[in-house]
Amino acid sequence: MTRSSSIALENRGQTGARLSSPSAGRNRDVIAAALARVLPQGSRVLEIASGTGEHALACVTGRADLHWQPSDPDAVSRASIDDWARDGAGRIGPALDLDTQQSGWWQAVPLPLSAVFCANMIHIAPWKAAEGLAEGAAALLEEGGLLILYGPFLEGADTAPSNLDFDASLKARDPRWGVRAREDVEALAARYGFSLLQRLEMPANNLVLVFAKGTP
């Protein structure tokens, strides 16, 4: 359903269980820096579709006060995540088997949480995965909790040509996939009680969208 799809498209194996994704290698440090600016002190973060686990390690390395709870529905990915987590000084929990298309997936997540983070998943999965992500984040987070998304988005006439090309490529692979319209993502978040707090521009025409639960 989720990042196991993107792993199949782009990952390269390393020794042991640890995998390395070229895209994660390019974006992990800028994502970690962006999250370091928006996450409150001492945050406990659930990452959905953690993929290789490289983002988790980069984030806790950049902010020693964070506790990271990774997850992925793919067993090979979870093994890779746990391998990378050995370098995380105990601040990365064992990877959970979570699939946001499954009803009640959030019931297996330990609380409390400060934020739910998801990178590069909602465009390489059916829209149902995004709906489940928003529903679960609303169930898990208290007032003021953050839902943070990273990836490409369509922004009407302002959409980068590379994102339009990527959207066409994804839909050719699977018609249920595609770069999501930012307005659709914001409307979905609003349906579950989240309002847009920040829009951060990132390299390669990606964005970080930070939503907060509750009234803005």
Side-chain angles (χ1 to χ4, degrees), residues 86-109:
R86 292 187 300 171
D87 298 337
R91 297 192 301 276
I92 303 175
L96 299 176
D97 180 1
L98 301 180
D99 183 339
T100 65
Q101 292 188 84
Q102 298 299 316
S103 178
W105 64 265
W106 54 86
Q107 296 173 9
V109 178

Side-chain angles (χ1 to χ4, degrees), residues 13-131:
Q14 293 187 333
T15 58
R18 189 172 298 198
L19 300 173
S20 180
S21 162
S23 64
R26 292 189 296 270
N27 65 35
R28 63 191 178 193
D29 291 335
V30 294
I31 289 175
L35 295 186
R37 296 197 301 270
V38 302
L39 289 171
Q41 189 73 19
S43 287
R44 300 181 63 86
V45 181
L46 169 67
E47 183 181 12
I48 295 296
S50 299
T52 63
E54 293 168 273
H55 289 141
L57 180 60
C59 288
V60 301
T61 300
R63 278 273 302 271
D65 61 295
L66 299 181
H67 181 274
W68 208 265
Q69 177 57 68
S71 71
D72 203 281
D74 177 64
V76 173
S77 298
R78 292 196 300 274
S80 177
I81 294 163
D82 291 339
D83 200 340
W84 282 104
R86 292 187 300 171
D87 298 337
R91 297 192 301 276
I92 303 175
L96 299 176
D97 180 1
L98 301 180
D99 183 339
T100 65
Q101 292 188 84
Q102 298 299 316
S103 178
W105 64 265
W106 54 86
Q107 296 173 9
V109 178
L111 296 175
L113 288 176
S114 311
V116 175
F117 169 64
C118 183
N120 288 329
M121 184 272 275
I122 65 172
H123 60 282
I124 312 182
W127 182 243
K128 182 180 179 181
E131 294 175 321

